[in-house]
């Protein structure tokens, strides 16, 4: 019989379109390709943007969980959180809608950009697939508005946390109170420490200093 020919290779445009469905390809301002984030990593990255589950303010302190949501909520993909999946009766296909809260300790994204409710995803056979797609679009949005950089790092977070640690370690008689606030383990809403509530957004100068220090290391 006649030998079957292999399928024709995809065009570059078709391959790029297929990749965009499963990953985010970030580019630098000058157009150079930088980071690539698979869709399966998107929920993990969003959790890092909105929560630090292993924060240590001073050496020897226990690890604590601290939320960076501007409304004080806890960011979660569980029922009742920021991910809304329909239909609720468990019969697929499923769609998901994600609401991104405002975020603290990063470069301010600009007036009116957060909180943001994204469009519904396409239909997926599983709830997890729908949530992953919504999370990927959430990461793409945070990248577009400058909360994340082209390497998927949170812009201004390192400098802001450094300032927070300096305030917490200052001899102002507030360190114990900060620790008590941080150590609270409430199930949904965690109180932010007083030093965080007074925290000014990291400015461009602080970010520049942090970047210079990182380059020097």
């Amino acid at each position: 019989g006649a030998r079957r020919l292999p399928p024709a290779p995809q065009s570059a445009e078709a391959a790029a379109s297929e990749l965009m469905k499963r990953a985010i390809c970030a580019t630098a301002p000058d157009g150079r390709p930088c980071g690539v984030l698979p869709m399966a990593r998107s929920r993990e990255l969003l959790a890092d943007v909105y929560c630090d589950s292993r924060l240590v303010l001073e050496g020897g302190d226990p690890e604590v969980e601290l939320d960076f949501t501007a409304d004080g909520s806890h960011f979660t993909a569980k029922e009742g959180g920021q991910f809304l999946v329909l239909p609720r009766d468990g019969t697929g296909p499923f769609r998901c809608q994600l609401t991104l809260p405002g975020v603290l300790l990063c470069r301010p994204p600009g007036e009116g950009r957060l909180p943001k409710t994204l469009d519904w995803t396409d239909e997926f056979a599983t709830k997890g697939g729908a949530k992953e797609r919504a999370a990927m679009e959430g990461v793409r949005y945070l990248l577009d508005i400058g909360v994340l950089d082209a390497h998927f790092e949170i812009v201004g977070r390192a400098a802001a946390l450094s300032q927070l640690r300096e305030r917490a370690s200052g001899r102002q008689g507030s360190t114990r109170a900060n620790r008590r606030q941080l150590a609270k383990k409430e199930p949904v809403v965690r109180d932010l420490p007083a030093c965080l509530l007074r925290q000014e957004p990291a400015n461009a100068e602080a970010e520049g200093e942090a970047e210079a220090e990182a380059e020097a290391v």
Side-chain angles (χ1 to χ4, degrees), residues 44-216:
E44 178 183 345
L45 179 56
L46 284 182
D48 289 341
V49 170
Y50 286 106
C51 180
D52 190 336
S53 60
R54 294 174 304 201
L55 181 70
V56 176
L57 283 183
E58 297 182 75
D61 282 357
E63 293 180 348
V64 294
E65 186 172 45
L66 184 63
D67 292 301
F68 301 132
T69 51
D71 60 6
S73 63
H74 181 55
F75 189 86
T76 177
K78 295 180 180 179
E79 187 72 23
Q82 288 80 9
F83 291 79
L84 175 61
V85 179
L86 294 179
R88 295 179 181 275
D89 60 7
T91 59
F94 301 95
R95 296 186 302 151
C96 183
Q97 186 180 62
L98 170 62
T99 297
L100 295 170
V103 57
L104 302 174
L105 269 67
C106 71
R107 183 173 67 186
E111 186 70 25
R113 294 189 169 185
L114 290 174
K116 173 74 172 179
T117 298
L118 305 180
D119 294 335
W120 288 93
T121 64
D122 295 332
E123 293 183 336
F124 286 80
T126 65
K127 290 183 178 180
K131 287 181 178 180
E132 282 189 351
R133 171 66 71 180
M136 188 176 80
E137 295 307 318
V139 170
R140 198 188 305 277
Y141 182 76
L142 294 181
L143 187 65
D144 288 344
I145 66 175
V147 171
L148 297 171
D149 65 16
H151 299 282
F152 300 100
E153 297 291 335
I154 306 157
V155 180
R157 176 64 55 83
L161 282 177
S162 177
Q163 293 175 15
L164 176 61
R165 289 189 175 95
E166 288 177 5
R167 291 186 180 215
S169 61
R171 297 296 179 258
Q172 303 297 326
S174 60
T175 304
R176 289 186 179 179
N178 288 332
R179 289 176 180 172
R180 285 198 300 271
Q181 288 285 84
L182 284 167
K184 288 185 178 179
K185 294 291 185 179
E186 298 180 14
V188 177
V189 178
R190 292 155 179 79
D191 289 335
L192 300 178
C195 57
L196 177 56
L197 293 175
R198 295 193 302 270
Q199 178 70 36
E200 297 295 331
N203 56 32
E205 181 180 351
E207 292 171 22
E209 292 174 357
E211 292 176 359
E213 291 174 2
E215 293 175 358

